[in-house]
Amino acid sequence: MNINQAINVIDKELSQTLSDYQHWFTLNPEELSFKPQTGWSIEQILEHVTLTNHFLLILIRKGTRKAIELSTKKDLNTIKESSQINLQELDAIAIHKSFDWVRPDHMEPKGEQELGQIRALLDNQINECKELLKEMNNGEGILYKTTMTVNNLGKIDVYQYIYFLCQHAKRHIVQMQKVMDEYTGVEGLGD
């Protein structure tokens, strides 16, 4: 897809991600803290998403600055004409357990933030991504690439990094639904 199409898709994905997450913050405390047989509680998953976003945003911010800087030194229009952005190669990131990955310790939830703080942080992170996308609305994001080791993606541009953030968040919606299904099954056994 061309740059403008990709920017529109990513902007919609950011809005959808923010919308899809709102429901999870409204669950009752028992649902949020329920610990499944394997894995994290929903509250821990929500915290993990914001921790991961924090570290992705460090790279996205840096990439945005570098891309905008490069756009003053390169012929962006010529580069744009011959460029396509492949967002589909990142779609596997949204599929829970679609690949093996050992997350770094600094992305493990520690339970140090209240749910309201996590919600506000997620809102701010998604809105910051939307703002950074606007800063690169002329296609600048294709000019700077950074290596992404997850799922052996290799070098991806700043737009793809923002899309990756959305796909990672989608991945964990599936995980939270599985936790909720287990909770509902456990609760149903007592009836």
Side-chain angles (χ1 to χ4, degrees):
M1 74 180 60
N2 70 36
I3 312 289
N4 292 336
Q5 291 169 326
I7 290 170
N8 288 333
V9 166
I10 296 165
D11 189 56
K12 285 179 182 155
E13 282 286 316
L14 287 164
S15 296
Q16 189 63 54
T17 299
L18 193 54
S19 175
D20 290 347
Y21 263 81
Q22 297 312 306
H23 155 74
W24 296 100
F25 290 101
T26 65
L27 300 178
N28 69 50
E30 293 80 27
E31 292 168 325
L32 285 163
S33 64
F34 173 75
K35 196 84 162 96
Q37 288 186 350
T38 58
W40 295 326
S41 69
I42 290 172
E43 192 165 22
Q44 288 173 309
I45 295 167
L46 292 168
E47 182 183 354
H48 163 72
V49 170
T50 60
L51 285 169
T52 303
N53 288 353
H54 169 79
F55 291 102
L56 288 171
L57 269 162
I58 290 170
L59 297 171
I60 291 167
R61 285 182 204 113
K62 176 185 174 189
T64 301
R65 283 192 311 274
K66 297 258 187 191
I68 290 170
E69 182 182 311
L70 285 169
S71 73
T72 65
K73 301 173 183 171
K74 297 188 178 218
D75 182 0
L76 180 58
N77 288 329
T78 301
I79 296 169
K80 273 174 49 175
E81 287 173 15
S82 62
S83 294
Q84 294 285 312
I85 295 181
N86 184 354
L87 296 179
Q88 291 75 24
E89 70 181 329
L90 302 168
D91 287 345
I93 303 305
I95 302 167
H96 190 241
K97 297 192 177 193
S98 61
F99 57 89
D100 291 329
W101 173 251
V102 179
R103 95 196 113 273
D105 289 342
H106 59 269
M107 293 182 191
E108 293 276 336
K110 310 245 185 311
E112 297 170 352
Q113 290 187 316
E114 294 176 6
L115 190 64
Q117 292 172 307
I118 294 169
R119 186 178 196 169
L121 185 56
L122 181 67
D123 289 356
N124 291 339
Q125 290 169 333
I126 297 292
N127 286 321
E128 182 179 357
C129 284
K130 288 175 86 59
E131 287 303 313
L132 292 169
L133 198 57
K134 282 181 192 168
E135 287 181 36
M136 299 179 294
N137 68 345
N138 293 316
E140 297 91 342
I142 61 170
L143 298 175
Y144 186 78
K145 293 186 176 190
T146 309
T147 301
M148 171 56 78
T149 57
V150 175
N151 204 22
N152 301 311
L153 288 171
K155 288 201 174 274
I156 61 175
D157 67 36
V158 186
Y159 297 124
Q160 291 170 312
Y161 253 92
I162 296 171
Y163 189 73
F164 179 96
L165 183 143
C166 290
Q167 298 309 300
H168 174 260
K170 280 174 133 177
R171 174 186 197 86
H172 287 293
I173 287 174
V174 172
Q175 183 184 9
M176 289 187 291
Q177 188 57 58
K178 288 179 180 179
V179 173
M180 196 65 193
D181 291 348
E182 188 175 328
Y183 172 82
T184 304
V186 169
E187 286 295 301
L189 292 175
D191 293 342

